[in-house]
Structures are given as C-alpha cells and as structure tokens.
Amino acid sequence: MAESRGGNGRAASGPREAPRPVQMGLPGRGPGGPGGMFAERERAKNAQGTLRRLIHYVGRQRRTMAIVVALVVLAAGLGLLGPYLMGRAIDVYIAKGDLAGLARLAALMMGLYIVDAGAVWLQTYLMAEVSQYTVRDLRRDLFDHLQGLPLRYFDQRPHGELMSRLTNDVENVANILASSGSQLIASAAMLAGVLVVMFVMNVPMALVTIVVVPLSVGLTRFIAPRTRQGFRDQQHHLGILNGIIEETITGEKIVQAFVREERTIAEFDAANLALRRAATRAQVLAGIMGPSMNMINHMSLAVVATVGGTFAVRGVATVGVIAAFVLYARQFSRPLNQLAQLYNAIQSALAGAERVFEVIDEAPEPADAPDAVPLERAEGAVAFEDVSFSYEEGVPVLRNVSMESRPGQMIALVGPTGAGKTTIINLLTRFYDVEAGAVRVDGHDIRDIRRDDLRRSLGLVLQDNFLFADTVMENIRYGRLEATDAEVVAAARMANADHFITRLPDGYGTQLSERGANLSQGQRQLLAIARAVLADPDILILDEATSNVDTRTEKHLQEALRRLMAGRTSFVIAHRLSTIREADQVLVIHGGEVIERGTHEELLAAGGFYHNLYWSQFKGQAAPARASARG
C-alpha cells in the first residue's frame, strides 16, 4: 500500500479526535520533557536476567570466544611465571653470583613477556570482533521488533527516547564488551591462578593475603546496585535529551515562527542539567570503587610484606620465595581492582541492555490467526457494524458506528475536528483494533484477514505525507518496490506529477532532503498520489489530501485523485466540503457518532448539521437550520 506501511504509515496513525497518551509535541512541553511522566525515577531491573540474555547473544560467537578464552589462559599462565622466575633468580643465581645463569633467565623472562603481550593484543582484537557481532545482532533484533510493534506503542513514547535506546544504549553495550570482555575473563583467570600458586608456596601467607577478599566483596555488593541505578538514570535522562533534540530539529520552523527560541533553549538547559546531575551521580558512585579497593589492597600488601619479612628473618622462607610471594600478592590485588572497576562498567552496560530488552519484551502486534483468510484482491465492499473504540479507557472516541459502502463507491467523512473521522481510518487499516463491533471487507471481519494482505489492498494519501531522504524515483517506487522505472514514470504522469519532476535539477534522480523539505507541499502531495497510483490499491483512503495547498495546486491534485479513485472504493476525509459533492454517500461524524448520512444534495436539503457546516464555509456563518443537529 502507498502510505500505511513502513515509516510513512506512522504519519497516519496518530489519533486526532480524542485525548490519548500524549507525544512530546514541541520540545519539553509534553510528558517527555523534564519533570514530566517520563522523568520519573526508574527502578533497577533484573540484572542477572539481563546478564544471562547478553551472554546468550555473546554465545553466538562461541568459536571466537573459545579462542579468546584460550589466549586468556595462556596470557595468565605466562603472567604467573614471572614472579616464580624472579624468586628463582634471587635464590639460585643472584645469591650464588651466577651472572651467566641470571642472563639466561632474564632472556627467558623477556621472551615470555613478549609472547604474553602478543596474546593480550590478539585476544583484544578478537574480543572487539565478538562485541561488534554481538551488538549487530542485538541492534538488528531491536530494530526488527520495533517494526512489529503496534502503532499505539509509538503514539505513547517520544521518538527521540526510542532512538536513544537503539543507538546510545546499544553502543554502550558494544563499548563495554570490546574494552572489558576479555579483561573480565583475564582477571578471573589470573585471580584463580594466583590463589593456587600462593597456597602451593606458603599456606599461612596465602591466608593472610585473602583476608582482603571479604572486604572487597562486601564493598562491591554495597556499591554495585547503587552504581547500576545511577547508570540507568544517566541513560534515561540521555534519552529525554535526545528526544528534545530530535523534536526541536524537526519542529524548528514552528519554534522560530512563534519566537520560542529562548524557551526552547531553557527547556534544553533543564534537560541537560538533569543529565549532568544524573551522570555526575553515576560517575561519583563508580569512582568510589577504585580508591576504596586500592586502599584495602595496599593495606593487605603491607601486612603480607610484614609477615613475609618476619618469616625471612626467622628462616622459615627464603628471600626469593618472599619476594615472589609479594609479587603474587600484588598480582592478586590487581585483578581484584580490575574486577571492581569492571563491575562498574558492567553496571553501565546492563543499564543500557535493560532498556534495550524492555523494548524487545514489548508485545508485538497480534499474529494472524492460523486460519486467517488470504486476500488477493479486494472487491471493495466495506462495512462497520456497531463499532466502538477508545484510545484511553473510559474516554470513548467512537460509539456504535455503522456504515456500509458498495464496491467502487466514494464515501465522504465530514465533521468537526476531534469527531472521530481519522479513527475510522485507523480501524480500517488495523493500526488499532475495534473494542466492540466489527469492521468487514468483502464480508470478512478484518481481524480474520491476513494483516499484510489487508494493508496491501489499501492505499493511503495523507494531509502531510512522509517522504524519505532518497530520490524522487525511489520515493514513488516505495508504493511497489518491484516496479520498473517506466512504471514509476507512468504513475507520476497519471498523478500529474511528471510535469514538475522533469523540471527538477536531476529529474527523477533528484535527491530529496529529509521529509521532502526541498519540495512544496503540493509537490509532496503529488508524489504521494503517484506512490498510491503505483501501489494500485483496491480501497483508497484520502485524509485531508488537498487541505494544505492553494486553489491552483488543488485543481491538479483533484484531477490526479479523480483518476486514482476511478473504479475504486474510496474513503475521503475532507474539511473543504466543496470537494466531496460527487460522493455517493456523506457521513457526518460528531461526538464519535454518525449523526447524518446521505448525498451532498440530500443533506443540504435536510437543513441539519451538514447544511450549517457547508454554508458556514462560504458565508462565514451558519445558514439557518430547518432541522435539528441530528437531522
């Protein structure tokens, strides 16, 4: 279909008729702004569950991870040899004055350290590869899931905040995996290896050394939950700030038109300040861990050195053994410090991953029933049977709406703003499902029709159509991706768009800016009509398609629309009542109900609500009604 699929379908989905969960509007003015409902403090989620899900993603690169683990074990083993060889150098070569043996041992140690450096570099390289593959899969799963979420989800959330989850949060996970993944494994392996060697060398001194472990664990357990919450708050406020930036850039014309630059800057500053405070809290909490662990480890090292010196004086152990043990004690404290710092980094990654998984866990649009009816081509018979619907519980938008159109008819929906006209279209396209009653196409309840088949049979031309930052040719081709260039040009000619396209700098190859901002409103509408022509829908929906253009452009649009509507069932929402005189049936919607129905002439003759509405557009005031508003 022309407009109801993909990114451009989004423009039609927002209900305009009744209160509903509000989007951000202009920057910072809605609930997405600072201090609104999206600024509430989030609670920490299930860190263990999030970690397990991340490990599942990393596990897809199990072969590369196996090589990384092997390299880590190799590097840890080589690292453990250093202090042992240093002790041997003191006791065997230095004590006996064997300089030749000392030189050979020094050469061996240098070779080991070179191999160790190479293993560390290779594991870092491979871990970067693992991290990028992992976040590629995570980002793809998130984006794929977004495509399947119902429109209600997007209507209730600031788009910039969703973009932050797709970019900043996923990138945060990538950075942590690349920089800390192999280091985490290496620290754990080194810690285990050092413990084994120390207990083999001297049990009493090993026991003295591991006194630091309970203190380190207690400190980590105290700080870690607070750090994780701090990073969640930081990512949350970053999402709010991104939302303000995205909507400000999109609505810059409105900001400048109403001279709201200073207020917008003030709202940005408020969000920026909230982010700074949240980020400062997170970094301060994360910064406590390192100095605290260093203090504990230095105190432990001083105790080890004192006990070791006492053993050496009493002849319980050699000077070389004590020197090696002190080096092992330092190696023992280093991975503890690294693990403590990594714990903070992991909290940041988990905070981002939690936000990503929150979106992935959102329920998608209900799947088609196993016995869903395929719809190759629709005849165009549409019926609403006692349909009721509300966007928010307790706030009805449509009440027992019934109507019927035969194939090829033009049905006009008119009424004041907020009456429920666009909601009728949202239900027909299944952007939302009815709460009561049924919508039928060719006699089938649309909930029993394959959703993709239904939407392919519908074509949508909106008041403000979405164009992509691509060429004119590709924007029209979006209606039917397999169409040839010749078919695209033919569709443009039928839509009265070829005459202006050929005058563009590169014709059909002209690159459009975001949302087609380098075209006029009328030109954008003509491209949207051409896209609908190419899609060749069975049922056409026109939502205020000519309301934002001048009279001359409207003439071109009306000619193109008449060609497009020929032989098709059409639903037309129009405020300019002069454009729907030829409608087979006019439905007057008011307060979520159909209060009048008939042809243009019949409704004028009835002297009711439509009569007043029509003449008010020409005389500036309502003509005297000969009937009540309900006709």
Side-chain angles (χ1 to χ4, degrees):
M1 79 187 226
E3 293 289 342
S4 60
R5 297 170 61 86
N8 52 343
R10 172 70 185 85
S13 62
R16 301 183 308 199
E17 291 79 9
R20 60 181 174 87
V22 184
Q23 298 183 48
M24 287 179 65
L26 285 178
R29 289 168 175 75
M37 71 178 185
F38 285 99
E40 295 173 1
R41 183 178 178 86
E42 295 185 63
R43 296 180 180 179
K45 304 297 182 182
N46 182 1
Q48 293 183 352
T50 302
L51 183 59
R52 282 195 297 269
R53 294 177 72 170
L54 270 180
I55 291 173
H56 170 73
Y57 275 91
V58 175
R60 298 179 185 179
Q61 311 299 321
R62 57 178 59 90
R63 291 184 180 179
T64 307
M65 280 302 301
I67 298 174
V68 170
V69 171
L71 290 170
V72 166
V73 172
L74 173 62
L78 294 175
L80 289 173
L81 280 175
Y84 171 77
L85 294 177
M86 181 64 72
R88 292 280 297 172
I90 293 173
D91 288 342
V92 177
Y93 299 110
I94 295 176
K96 297 179 180 180
D98 186 354
L99 297 181
L102 181 63
R104 289 194 300 272
L105 188 60
L108 175 61
M109 292 177 67
M110 290 177 63
L112 292 177
Y113 286 133
I114 290 173
V115 174
D116 177 62
V120 171
W121 176 85
L122 184 56
Q123 74 189 36
T124 301
Y125 170 81
L126 292 176
M127 198 63 206
E129 188 177 77
V130 168
S131 71
Q132 290 305 314
Y133 276 110
T134 298
V135 297
R136 177 205 62 183
D137 293 344
L138 184 61
R139 189 183 294 116
R140 181 186 59 206
D141 288 352
L142 175 58
F143 188 80
D144 288 353
H145 191 72
L146 282 171
Q147 304 311 302
L149 290 177
L151 268 295
R152 185 187 297 272
Y153 179 83
F154 296 96
D155 287 336
Q156 294 175 351
R157 288 160 179 82
H159 298 169
E161 206 270 342
L162 292 176
M163 290 170 59
S164 181
R165 298 191 186 215
L166 188 59
T167 54
N168 295 332
D169 291 334
V170 173
E171 196 60 31
N172 190 26
V173 174
N175 292 335
I176 298 304
L177 284 176
S179 62
S180 306
S182 60
Q183 189 179 357
L184 177 64
I185 302 172
S187 297
M190 179 62 73
L191 189 61
V194 169
L195 276 173
V196 171
V197 172
M198 286 196 302
F199 272 98
V200 170
M201 291 180 64
N202 192 300
V203 174
M205 290 187 64
L207 292 174
V208 170
T209 303
I210 65 173
V211 170
V212 71
V213 174
L215 295 174
S216 300
V217 171
L219 181 66
T220 300
R221 289 176 65 87
F222 176 77
I223 294 178
R226 294 162 177 79
T227 303
R228 183 169 63 252
Q229 180 60 53
F231 281 119
R232 279 187 61 82
D233 289 344
Q234 176 181 329
Q235 293 300 106
H236 172 71
H237 285 286
L238 180 60
I240 291 175
L241 188 67
N242 284 340
I244 292 176
I245 294 171
E246 190 266 341
E247 289 207 331
T248 300
I249 293 174
T250 303
E252 190 62 37
K253 183 182 293 184
I254 302 300
V255 173
Q256 294 188 20
F258 286 91
V259 196
R260 294 294 182 266
E261 291 90 344
E262 291 186 5
R263 179 173 178 178
T264 301
I265 292 171
E267 290 166 345
F268 175 86
D269 288 342
N272 201 19
L273 177 62
L275 174 60
R276 180 188 65 78
R277 289 172 175 168
T280 300
R281 285 194 299 269
Q283 298 301 325
V284 167
L285 287 170
I288 292 173
M289 186 71 77
S292 301
M293 289 296 296
N294 281 334
M295 179 188 69
I296 293 173
N297 291 329
H298 288 319
M299 292 172 62
S300 173
L301 187 61
V303 174
V304 169
T306 302
V307 174
T310 302
F311 285 175
V313 169
R314 294 180 177 179
V316 178
T318 65
V319 174
V321 170
I322 300 304
F325 207 94
V326 170
L327 291 176
Y328 280 124
R330 290 186 64 86
Q331 284 191 335
F332 180 75
S333 64
R334 187 181 306 121
L336 281 179
N337 275 343
Q338 290 174 343
L339 288 173
Q341 295 297 332
L342 288 174
Y343 206 93
N344 284 327
I346 291 171
Q347 302 315 305
S348 177
L350 289 179
E354 283 173 344
R355 286 163 49 84
V356 171
F357 290 135
E358 282 173 0
V359 179
I360 292 178
D361 290 340
E362 288 287 337
E365 279 192 309
D368 292 331
D371 57 348
V373 178
L375 187 66
E376 294 296 331
R377 297 291 298 187
E379 294 295 327
V382 177
F384 277 61
E385 300 175 352
D386 293 320
V387 169
S388 296
F389 177 77
S390 59
Y391 293 105
E392 295 183 54
E393 187 175 355
V395 185
V397 178
L398 295 180
R399 302 179 181 87
N400 305 113
V401 170
S402 295
M403 64 176 179
E404 184 175 354
S405 70
R406 294 191 297 274
Q409 282 192 330
M410 173 183 172
I411 310 299
L413 305 176
V414 303
T417 299
K421 303 184 296 297
T422 299
T423 296
I424 291 175
I425 301 307
N426 284 340
L427 297 179
L428 178 57
T429 55
R430 282 202 72 190
F431 289 153
Y432 294 83
D433 280 329
V434 300
E435 293 176 354
V439 179
R440 299 185 183 277
V441 171
D442 294 347
H444 299 289
D445 190 318
I446 61 174
R447 290 169 292 189
D448 298 330
I449 299 175
R450 292 178 184 172
R451 184 182 285 105
D452 285 353
D453 287 351
L454 172 68
R455 291 179 178 171
R456 267 192 287 266
S457 70
L458 302 172
L460 202 58
V461 180
L462 309 174
Q463 179 179 8
D464 185 15
N465 288 283
F466 191 97
L467 296 178
F468 297 92
D470 206 335
T471 63
V472 170
M473 178 76 75
E474 294 306 315
N475 269 281
I476 298 175
R477 203 195 309 273
Y478 200 77
R480 181 159 55 88
L481 297 179
E482 68 276 11
T484 64
D485 289 356
E487 289 174 322
V488 170
V489 173
R493 287 172 178 166
M494 184 175 177
N496 277 350
D498 181 71
H499 70 283
F500 87 82
I501 294 175
T502 54
R503 294 200 299 268
L504 293 175
D506 297 313
Y508 284 85
T510 300
Q511 183 75 25
L512 301 184
S513 59
E514 186 177 0
R515 297 177 179 269
N518 51 338
L519 297 179
S520 70
Q521 177 69 30
Q523 290 171 333
R524 292 198 293 270
Q525 292 295 83
L526 289 173
L527 289 188
I529 294 172
R531 186 157 57 190
V533 168
L534 188 65
D536 191 23
D538 305 310
I539 300 171
L540 185 64
I541 298 169
L542 307 176
D543 188 353
E544 303 286 0
T546 64
S547 62
N548 286 339
V549 296
D550 58 80
T551 304
R552 181 183 179 191
T553 304
E554 182 182 3
K555 181 180 178 181
H556 288 291
L557 290 174
Q558 290 290 354
E559 291 176 359
L561 290 174
R562 274 194 290 271
R563 295 173 188 169
L564 182 58
M565 289 188 291
R568 292 183 172 90
T569 301
S570 303
F571 288 84
V572 180
I573 296 177
H575 281 140
R576 293 185 185 178
L577 303 185
S578 60
T579 63
I580 51 137
R581 293 175 179 174
E582 300 175 3
D584 297 286
Q585 186 178 176
V586 178
L587 301 177
V588 182
I589 315 295
H590 186 55
E593 301 179 67
V594 179
I595 62 172
E596 294 178 354
R597 69 182 74 211
T599 64
H600 171 73
E601 289 78 9
E602 291 171 346
L603 293 177
L604 282 182
F609 191 93
Y610 182 84
H611 173 270
N612 293 340
L613 192 64
Y614 179 81
W615 286 109
S616 69
Q617 294 187 1
F618 294 94
K619 297 183 178 180
Q621 59 183 1
R626 297 197 303 268
S628 68
R630 301 246 171 198

